[in-house]
Amino acid sequence: QSALTQPASVSGSSGQSITISCTGTSSDIGNYNLVSWYQQHPDKAPKLLIYESSQRPSGVSNHFSGSRSGNTASLTISGLQAEDEADYYCCSYTTSSTVIFGGGTKLTVL
Amino acid sequence: QVQLQESGPGLVKPSETLSLTCSVSGGSISSYHWSWIRQPAGKGLEWIGRVYNSGTTKYNPSLKSRVTMSVDTSKNQFSLKLNSVTAADTAVYYCARDFYDVSGWRTVEPWGQGTLVTVSS
């Protein structure tokens, strides 16, 4: 299974909004509303930000939001803060009952 | 809440078998299903596979021929074995819970802190 496609890097100024895309196929994102997004700071385990494409777990800031359309999911971070600088990964359930991750996106807050 | 902790050798020789254990606290291992995920230094996450509480498994096709996962309900632990390792298997290995509800799979959460395994002679 090939990794979901994410941009390698994105950047934005403090206070701005950015969107990270995650593109899959009809065997994963296109078939299920089961995309999760994780934030990973250096040398830390990934932290769940979004599940079921747009749901936020308890305790996750509402400046993170997710959406899905067709074979593509998106993570939007509004009001960028310095602490948002991290790597972001999408993942999806697949028609083979496996899980597939994106290659990751490095967010730089200017 | 459920917490996970990986353990095992940090150094494995090429061609040998990597063996890791994940200890689960705050919940019964029989109540959930469990995944292993790895991350080579500076690279992305790769899902290795899942062991269901029944002992049934589902593996990443790219690793299927070398992977074995199992659960030990008496110890509230589950394990990963990866044989014939090479330097390409050097990575941080995470154990995690697959979260299901009545509708099926929802997400992977929570995760352990991860453990670095280096393959080198």
Side-chain angles (χ1 to χ4, degrees):
Chain A
Q1 51 188 27
S2 298
L4 304 174
T5 301
Q6 298 180 231
S9 63
V10 298
S11 63
S13 300
S14 182
Q16 285 187 329
S17 295
I18 62 95
T19 297
I20 299 172
S21 62
C22 172
T23 301
T25 69
S26 58
S27 296
D28 38 68
I29 294 177
N31 201 66
Y32 299 105
N33 197 30
L34 293 174
V35 177
S36 296
W37 287 92
Y38 296 89
Q39 176 192 60
Q40 187 180 37
H41 286 108
D43 298 320
K44 297 292 186 183
K47 173 189 174 184
L48 180 67
L49 296 177
I50 298 287
Y51 67 99
E52 293 182 40
S53 302
S54 62
Q55 302 302 305
R56 274 190 311 276
S58 174
V60 172
S61 170
N62 60 8
H63 83 282
F64 294 102
S65 62
S67 63
R68 165 186 165 264
S69 178
N71 294 342
T72 299
S74 298
L75 173 71
T76 297
I77 308 175
S78 57
L80 274 176
Q81 303 167 11
E83 56 263 37
D84 296 328
E85 187 161 294
D87 294 328
Y88 292 83
Y89 293 92
C90 59
C91 87
S92 176
Y93 193 68
T94 80
T95 54
S96 300
S97 301
T98 61
V99 173
I100 187 169
F101 285 93
T105 298
K106 181 177 181 59
L107 169 62
T108 300
V109 179
L110 303 172
Chain B
Q1 69 274 25
V2 171
Q3 293 184 305
L4 303 97
Q5 177 68 60
E6 306 88 352
S7 60
L11 181 64
V12 180
K13 290 182 168 55
S15 80
E16 296 190 345
T17 297
L18 178 160
S19 296
L20 294 175
T21 296
C22 184
S23 298
V24 178
S25 59
S28 171
I29 197 165
S30 299
S31 299
Y32 305 101
H33 312 303
W34 309 93
S35 276
W36 288 96
I37 298 141
R38 71 180 183 178
Q39 184 175 34
K43 296 188 179 181
L45 300 165
E46 180 179 34
W47 185 78
I48 301 170
R50 177 188 307 117
V51 58
Y52 296 88
N53 55 13
S54 63
T56 305
T57 54
K58 176 68 72 170
Y59 300 138
N60 184 325
S62 68
L63 296 168
K64 184 176 181 179
S65 63
R66 299 194 291 130
V67 174
T68 303
M69 295 181 186
S70 60
V71 291
D72 185 337
T73 55
S74 67
K75 295 181 179 179
N76 225 39
Q77 296 175 337
F78 61 103
S79 66
L80 166 69
K81 293 187 186 299
L82 180 66
N83 60 36
S84 304
V85 297
T86 69
D89 295 308
T90 294
V92 173
Y93 285 75
Y94 295 98
C95 60
R97 181 186 65 177
D98 280 63
F99 183 74
Y100 284 74
D101 64 13
V102 293
S103 301
W105 187 93
R106 300 292 102 185
T107 190
V108 179
E109 175 70 6
W111 297 47
Q113 65 184 27
T115 187
L116 175 62
V117 178
T118 301
V119 178
S120 175
S121 54

